[in-house]
Amino acid sequence: MTRSFCTEHLRMRPFEENEKNAFLSLVLDEDVQKYFNFGHNIDEISDFFDQYYADYSIFGDMFAITLSDSIVGCIRYCEMPPDEAVIECFIGKPFRNQGYATEAIDGLLSYLKSNSENIEVAVFYVHYDNMISQQILSKYNPQRQSDGDYIIHYFDF
């Protein structure tokens, strides 16, 4: 399976080993820290990146979201049997509110549809007070289910 794909404005591709600092700057953003658990300090996040880079299959497939030569965010999925992909996406602060999250999600869904025989359901765990992500996902008309601090959004594609 080719591990990169493009949309109208964006290219999603694996992070390169020398892009750890770019990943760290994205993940250390307080909004990302609030809603994603890649680690609680720079050492834990750095270890996560090193482990991902050593064997991406442990954590699912993770892509740098790039615009021209700039890394603007991250999107990843983890395949969950029998037919689900749990998806996470975040965009760096300077690039938010420009439609890049929606474009990256659309691109990943097309990529999965073309490259996976098993995945039929997209699943997003969204913190109950993450209104921006909930608004983005509402475009897909998902079914929703409450699960503690999270609202699970899921839909067939």
Side-chain angles (χ1 to χ4, degrees):
M1 178 180 337
T2 303
R3 291 190 59 232
S4 65
F5 54 97
C6 296
T7 62
E8 182 179 355
H9 303 103
L10 305 173
R11 179 171 182 246
M12 275 58 66
R13 59 162 178 76
F15 278 91
E16 297 174 9
E17 190 171 19
N18 65 351
E19 294 174 327
K20 182 195 281 190
N21 288 338
F23 179 78
L24 292 173
S25 69
L26 288 168
V27 175
L28 287 170
D29 174 89
E30 71 180 55
D31 292 329
V32 174
Q33 281 289 299
K34 184 175 179 181
Y35 299 120
F36 295 92
N37 186 14
F38 291 99
H40 299 290
N41 60 51
I42 196 164
D43 292 330
E44 289 178 3
I45 298 166
S46 183
D47 288 347
F48 171 88
F49 186 89
D50 292 341
Q51 291 174 16
Y52 154 76
Y53 199 79
D55 184 1
Y56 72 87
S57 66
I58 294 171
F59 300 104
D61 231 336
M62 184 167 71
F63 301 93
I65 302 170
T66 61
L67 176 68
S68 299
D69 290 330
S70 299
I71 296 175
V72 302
C74 176
I75 191 165
R76 73 178 190 150
Y77 76 93
C78 184
E79 198 166 334
M80 302 298 286
D83 63 354
E84 296 179 350
V86 176
I87 300 171
E88 296 178 308
C89 178
F90 58 88
I91 302 296
K93 192 170 279 189
F95 302 99
R96 292 180 189 151
N97 301 312
Q98 298 178 52
Y100 297 138
T102 301
E103 187 172 334
I105 291 167
D106 287 347
L108 180 61
L109 294 174
S110 294
Y111 170 82
L112 292 174
K113 195 171 204 171
S114 298
N115 291 287
S116 174
E117 296 176 8
N118 301 326
I119 299 174
E120 298 176 5
V121 179
V123 180
F124 296 80
Y125 288 81
V126 180
H127 199 270
Y128 71 91
D129 68 351
N130 186 343
M131 301 312 289
I132 300 289
S133 291
Q134 290 186 52
Q135 182 180 357
I136 291 168
L137 292 174
S138 71
K139 298 170 187 172
Y140 300 96
N141 196 26
Q143 296 180 33
R144 294 179 177 92
Q145 174 182 333
S146 183
D147 183 24
D149 289 342
Y150 294 89
I151 298 171
I152 304 169
H153 299 250
Y154 57 99
F155 52 91
D156 295 341
F157 67 98

